[in-house]
Amino acid sequence: MIKAGGHLAVTKIAIDPLWYLPGIAQGFGVEENDFHRVLFQQTGGMFADLVRRPDLQVFLPPIGGTTVYIIGDVAHISDPQKQLAVLFHDECNGSDVFSSDICTCRPYLVKGIEVCIQTAQAGDSGVIVYFRKEGRALGEVTKFLVYNARKRQSGGDRPSGVFYSH
């Protein structure tokens, strides 16, 4: 939907994971209090309530969630008569934010945004699903190790090999 002044309507939805601790402990076959203690230790002691509050049943983990951007009219995304452009993208700070040339993520994100905007401008809608999990959940340190190894093998600053869009 194009609003007054030519602006597009963009709806942002945040989705964060929530862990039901009794169910996870049961799934691992461990006592719930033991699971709380291990989770507290494995998160570097950041969440003291895990050990102070044995009644705690839910936990919002410090791992990435998902942000969904709907560009255009939200009602159009379920209308089979309307076109829908969709991009699924894993967060990549190096490329998305800082335009690093060692990764090819940003061009895919930019092109996806362009297509979603063009689709919405034509009266349809676009959806961008942005996974907040740096580097396909590898994390920054692992990404740097992989990129540095790739750089040593190729002798250059650009990655070698074939990449797939995400």
Side-chain angles (χ1 to χ4, degrees):
M1 160 191 321
I2 300 179
K3 296 162 51 174
H7 298 282
L8 281 172
V10 178
T11 303
K12 181 179 177 180
I13 302 165
I15 304 167
D16 283 314
L18 185 67
W19 294 359
Y20 179 63
L21 298 175
I24 295 172
Q26 181 182 9
F28 282 123
V30 299
E31 291 295 321
E32 194 174 335
N33 287 339
D34 291 339
F35 181 65
H36 280 232
R37 183 181 40 75
V38 169
L39 189 55
F40 169 75
Q41 291 169 340
Q42 292 299 313
T43 56
M46 291 189 304
F47 304 99
D49 279 350
L50 286 167
V51 291
R52 281 193 297 223
R53 296 205 33 222
D55 64 319
L56 192 66
Q57 294 197 340
V58 294
F59 177 62
L60 187 61
I63 58 173
T66 302
T67 305
V68 178
Y69 299 90
I70 300 172
I71 302 169
D73 192 337
V74 173
H76 290 175
I77 64 173
S78 62
D79 184 344
Q81 303 301 315
K82 296 288 185 176
Q83 294 291 313
L84 181 63
V86 179
L87 170 70
F88 293 93
H89 188 82
D90 288 330
E91 174 181 58
C92 178
N93 281 320
S95 184
D96 294 351
V97 177
F98 297 106
S99 302
S100 169
D101 67 352
I102 198 153
C103 186
T104 60
C105 295
R106 184 182 173 110
Y108 290 112
L109 176 61
V110 169
K111 182 62 177 176
I113 291 170
E114 288 174 2
V115 170
C116 287
I117 288 171
Q118 291 167 349
T119 304
Q121 287 173 330
D124 300 308
S125 293
V127 175
I128 299 167
V129 181
Y130 194 84
F131 297 106
R132 309 296 263 176
K133 55 174 188 173
E134 181 67 36
R136 297 178 197 95
L138 291 174
E140 287 286 348
V141 173
T142 303
K143 277 179 62 174
F144 289 141
L145 292 171
V146 169
Y147 290 153
N148 285 334
R150 190 180 291 147
K151 186 187 288 188
R152 283 190 302 274
Q153 287 177 343
S154 69
D157 288 340
R158 295 196 173 266
S160 59
V162 177
F163 286 83
Y164 60 95
S165 65
H166 57 277

